[in-house]
């Protein structure tokens, strides 16, 4: 079976499939575009949720998937448009045949110019066919490029975590091994990128190719290049394919820049502002959150409070443990459990009674670290761990408002921290609200 590709019958079958591949291309593009447009808004919401919740691993994976979806949507839409133009050109050729420049009755200057620049209609159809086939193929190759970049960054993070930031490994040994590895990966990433942009220039120079080969061999494993290498070199040995590959890069850059543009209506106020005593950001009010918005740090129930109490919700993230450990060293575990976990393997054998007592101590320390004030009045809060309406985990408490006057008030959340062995309190968040009881 491994020698079937040399069989003349197999080559004949491939030739037939090539001629009829446009039907499969359109079918796959249609289903893929429908699925991608359906999944894209949900992926966008999940990326925002992972970012706000501090789930770094989920955020990386979902961001890669989201970028891949965006690339596929653009390329496949471009492919469908060009393939539709190709089909229209074929239909027009059946009716009208080739371009008859003499029948146009233009002056000799324009006739000669158009014959040189426009040429045969069949050549136009052939070029459209080439554009469509290459764009369809490169759409999926670009996903592997995104994965290659992601795996390279992950390899740097893994070396840092396993060797430089690992308490179970001797510090000097970790540095002697980890730092050279990171330097090698960074330099290798730079040379691999240069080789990619120059379409193999480092492989063409004899003395450079000898130095570059070990880097190429290592990065072919890190980036999973062995899975898509034949596709890459098939593009590179074709001048037309190289041109399209290079042309798509500035197009992506222009799209990225275009989507980042916005119109500012003021020199002092815009949409990207955080709440304070004179600014109200919707992300700080639970009832104003849209479907794809999440609480960033802190939120209250509403901008206008009509009840005689108010809910305050603090979003929980990885930094909270560090805030607590700074003021209660006894809560810091011997073995760090933050990060990836599995329900299959149980790594925490602590008894339920001990865990509950430590959780109570955690809450008590949290009350010491975070202070909540309305105007100048400080509250003695009792937090509980729970979830917001958007299923974000965090700590919530309720404040009584019976003794407050109607009108505008400022909720201030202060966090205690240690800087240069000095304990300080700084403003963690400020949220304006109006109190008008029913």
């Amino acid at each position: 079976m491994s020698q079937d590709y040399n069989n003349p019958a197999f080559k004949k079958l491939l030739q037939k499939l090539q001629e009829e591949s446009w039907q499969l291309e359109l079918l796959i593009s249609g289903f893929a575009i429908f699925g991608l447009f359906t999944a894209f808004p949900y992926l966008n919401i999940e990326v925002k949720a992972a970012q706000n919740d501090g789930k770094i691993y989920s955020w990386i994976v979902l961001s890669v998937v989201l970028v891949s979806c965006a690339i596929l949507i653009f390329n496949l839409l471009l492919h469908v448009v060009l393939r539709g133009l190709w089909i229209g050109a074929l239909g027009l050729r059946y009716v009208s045949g080739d371009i008859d420049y003499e029948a146009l009755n233009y002056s000799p200057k324009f006739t000669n110019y158009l014959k040189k620049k426009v040429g045969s209609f069949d050549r136009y159809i052939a070029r459209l066919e080439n554009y469509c086939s290459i764009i369809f193929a490169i759409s999926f190759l670009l996903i592997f490029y995104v994965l290659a970049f992601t795996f390279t960054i992950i390899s740097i993070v893994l070396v840092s975590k396993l060797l430089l930031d690992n308490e179970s490994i001797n510090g000097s040994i970790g540095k002697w091994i980890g730092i050279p590895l990171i330097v090698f990966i960074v330099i290798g990433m730079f040379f691999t990128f240069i080789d990619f942009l120059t379409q193999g220039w480092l492989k063409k120079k004899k003395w450079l190719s000898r130095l570059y080969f070990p880097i190429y061999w290592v990065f072919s494993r890190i980036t999973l290049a062995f899975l898509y290498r034949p596709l890459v070199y098939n593009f590179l040995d074709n001048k037309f394919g190289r041109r399209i590959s290079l042309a798509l890069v500035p197009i992506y850059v222009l799209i990225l820049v275009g989507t980042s543009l916005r119109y500012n209506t003021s020199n002092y106020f815009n949409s990207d502002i955080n709440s304070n005593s004179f600014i109200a950001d919707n992300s700080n009010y639970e009832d104003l959150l849209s479907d794809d918005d999440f609480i960033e740090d802190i939120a209250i129930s509403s901008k206008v409070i009509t009840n005689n109490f108010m809910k305050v919700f603090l979003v929980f993230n990885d930094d909270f443990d560090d805030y607590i450990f700074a003021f209660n060293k006894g809560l810091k575990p011997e073995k760090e459990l933050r990060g990836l976990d599995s329900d299959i393997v149980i790594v925490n054998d602590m008894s339920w009674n001990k865990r509950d007592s430590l959780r109570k101590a955690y809450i008590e320390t949290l009350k010491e670290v975070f202070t909540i004030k309305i105007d100048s009045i400080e509250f003695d809060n009792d937090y509980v761990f729970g979830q917001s309406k958007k299923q974000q985990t965090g700590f919530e408490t309720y404040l009584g408002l019976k003794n407050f006057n109607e009108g505008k008030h400022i909720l201030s959340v202060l966090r205690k921290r240690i800087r240069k062995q000095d304990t300080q309190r700084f403003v963690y968040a400020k949220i304006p609200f109006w109190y008008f009881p029913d």
Side-chain angles (χ1 to χ4, degrees):
M1 293 294 291
S2 62
Q3 300 299 320
D4 282 350
Y5 64 89
N6 290 320
N7 193 317
F10 182 71
K11 291 184 179 294
K12 186 177 180 181
L13 175 63
L14 284 180
Q15 184 65 33
K16 184 179 179 182
L17 290 174
Q18 285 175 201
E19 295 171 357
E20 299 177 355
S21 64
W22 66 272
Q23 301 174 38
L24 289 174
E25 288 177 13
L26 281 176
L27 186 66
I28 293 172
S29 294
F31 278 109
I33 290 170
F34 174 77
L36 292 168
F37 267 114
T38 304
F40 193 84
Y42 295 101
L43 283 172
N44 195 30
I45 291 173
E46 291 300 321
V47 168
K48 289 184 178 180
Q51 183 180 9
N52 282 301
D53 293 346
K55 298 176 180 177
I56 185 65
Y57 300 105
S58 299
W59 178 78
I60 290 173
V61 172
L62 290 169
S63 296
V64 171
V65 174
L66 187 68
V67 171
S68 302
C69 279
I71 291 173
L72 279 177
I73 287 173
F74 173 77
N75 279 21
L76 293 179
L77 281 174
L78 181 61
H79 168 261
V80 169
V81 170
L82 291 178
R83 187 58 80 177
L85 185 61
W86 176 77
I87 293 172
L90 284 177
L92 183 61
R93 185 185 183 281
Y94 175 76
V95 174
S96 180
D98 206 344
I99 301 173
D100 188 355
Y101 291 101
E102 303 303 327
L104 295 173
N105 199 25
Y106 291 158
S107 67
K109 181 177 180 62
F110 271 97
T111 300
N112 294 331
Y113 177 81
L114 291 175
K115 282 183 178 180
K116 182 180 177 181
K117 292 296 182 180
V118 178
S120 168
F121 194 62
D122 289 351
R123 188 184 73 167
Y124 173 71
I125 293 174
R127 293 186 69 182
L128 277 178
E129 166 67 25
N130 290 337
Y131 278 122
C132 294
S133 297
I134 289 175
I135 288 173
F136 184 79
I138 206 172
S139 301
F140 299 95
L141 180 60
L142 287 171
I143 304 304
F144 283 109
Y145 287 156
V146 173
L147 290 174
F149 175 76
T150 304
F151 289 144
T152 303
I153 300 300
I154 288 175
S155 65
I156 296 174
V157 174
L158 285 176
V159 171
S160 301
K161 288 286 186 182
L162 296 177
L163 296 175
L164 300 181
D165 193 24
N166 192 343
E167 296 179 357
S168 61
I169 295 179
N170 184 277
S172 58
I173 296 175
K175 289 180 180 178
W176 277 106
I177 300 174
I179 292 176
L181 271 177
I182 290 178
V183 171
F184 173 78
I185 293 173
V186 171
I187 293 174
M189 179 173 63
F190 173 75
F191 279 108
T192 303
F193 184 66
I194 294 297
D195 189 62
F196 167 73
L197 287 182
T198 58
Q199 298 182 346
W201 183 78
L202 295 178
K203 302 186 187 78
K204 297 174 183 177
K205 305 297 179 181
K206 288 185 178 180
W207 65 276
L208 272 178
S209 63
R210 292 177 181 176
L211 296 174
Y212 178 61
F213 182 79
I215 296 174
Y216 172 80
W217 187 88
V218 171
F219 271 79
S220 67
R221 270 66 181 172
I222 293 176
T223 60
L224 304 181
F226 57 89
L227 293 175
Y228 54 90
R229 189 179 291 140
L231 198 60
V232 174
Y233 292 124
N234 208 318
F235 272 111
L236 294 179
D237 71 357
N238 182 281
K239 187 177 181 180
F240 191 74
R242 289 199 302 270
R243 286 180 177 176
I244 293 182
S245 301
L246 290 175
L248 285 174
V249 174
I251 290 175
Y252 291 139
V253 173
L254 288 174
I255 291 173
L256 182 63
V257 172
T259 54
S260 67
L261 294 176
R262 62 186 179 185
Y263 184 82
N264 286 330
T265 56
S266 171
N267 290 300
Y268 304 101
F269 297 96
N270 54 59
S271 57
D272 283 339
I273 47 179
N274 296 319
S275 292
N276 55 37
S277 58
F278 49 85
I279 294 173
D281 183 1
N282 283 1
S283 65
N284 295 124
Y285 307 97
E286 275 199 282
D287 62 339
L288 295 181
L289 295 174
S290 60
D291 292 338
D292 58 347
D293 283 334
F294 293 86
I295 303 170
E296 291 186 6
D297 294 307
I298 294 176
I300 60 177
S301 51
S302 179
K303 188 181 292 185
V304 179
I305 306 297
T306 56
N307 298 317
N308 55 12
F309 63 90
M310 180 175 66
K311 175 186 174 183
V312 180
F313 187 86
L314 282 70
V315 177
F316 184 71
N317 56 51
D318 291 347
D319 294 330
F320 266 61
D321 278 9
D322 296 326
Y323 301 157
I324 301 302
F325 297 159
F327 293 92
N328 192 337
K329 305 293 185 183
L331 287 173
K332 188 173 183 179
E334 294 181 2
K335 185 177 181 180
E336 183 63 67
L337 299 178
R338 282 178 289 184
L340 289 177
D341 194 9
S342 171
D343 294 331
I344 298 174
V345 181
I346 300 175
V347 295
N348 192 348
D349 56 356
M350 187 184 301
S351 66
W352 286 106
N353 290 335
K354 185 177 180 180
R355 187 179 299 177
D356 285 342
S357 65
L358 291 175
R359 284 171 175 168
K360 289 179 181 178
Y362 192 105
I363 296 292
E364 289 299 319
T365 310
L366 185 74
K367 292 166 62 176
E368 179 187 348
V369 173
F370 286 95
T371 304
I372 296 179
K373 296 169 59 177
I374 293 181
D375 299 333
S376 60
I377 299 175
E378 188 172 311
F379 285 79
D380 183 17
N381 304 302
D382 194 4
Y383 296 98
V384 296
F385 187 74
Q387 290 184 329
S388 69
K389 293 180 181 179
K390 291 293 189 74
Q391 306 303 311
Q392 290 178 269
T393 57
F395 298 95
E396 62 183 82
T397 188
Y398 291 81
L399 311 179
L401 303 176
K402 283 184 179 180
N403 299 324
F404 285 88
N405 297 325
E406 291 184 352
K408 179 185 173 183
H409 299 278
I410 304 296
L411 173 84
S412 301
V413 180
L414 308 177
R415 182 170 75 82
K416 190 184 291 186
R417 66 182 178 184
I418 299 175
R419 285 289 182 273
K420 297 180 180 180
Q421 299 182 346
D422 182 33
T423 302
Q424 306 171 350
R425 288 209 307 180
F426 73 100
V427 177
Y428 188 73
K430 269 191 176 184
I431 305 173
F433 69 94
W434 282 260
Y435 177 52
F436 292 105
D438 292 336

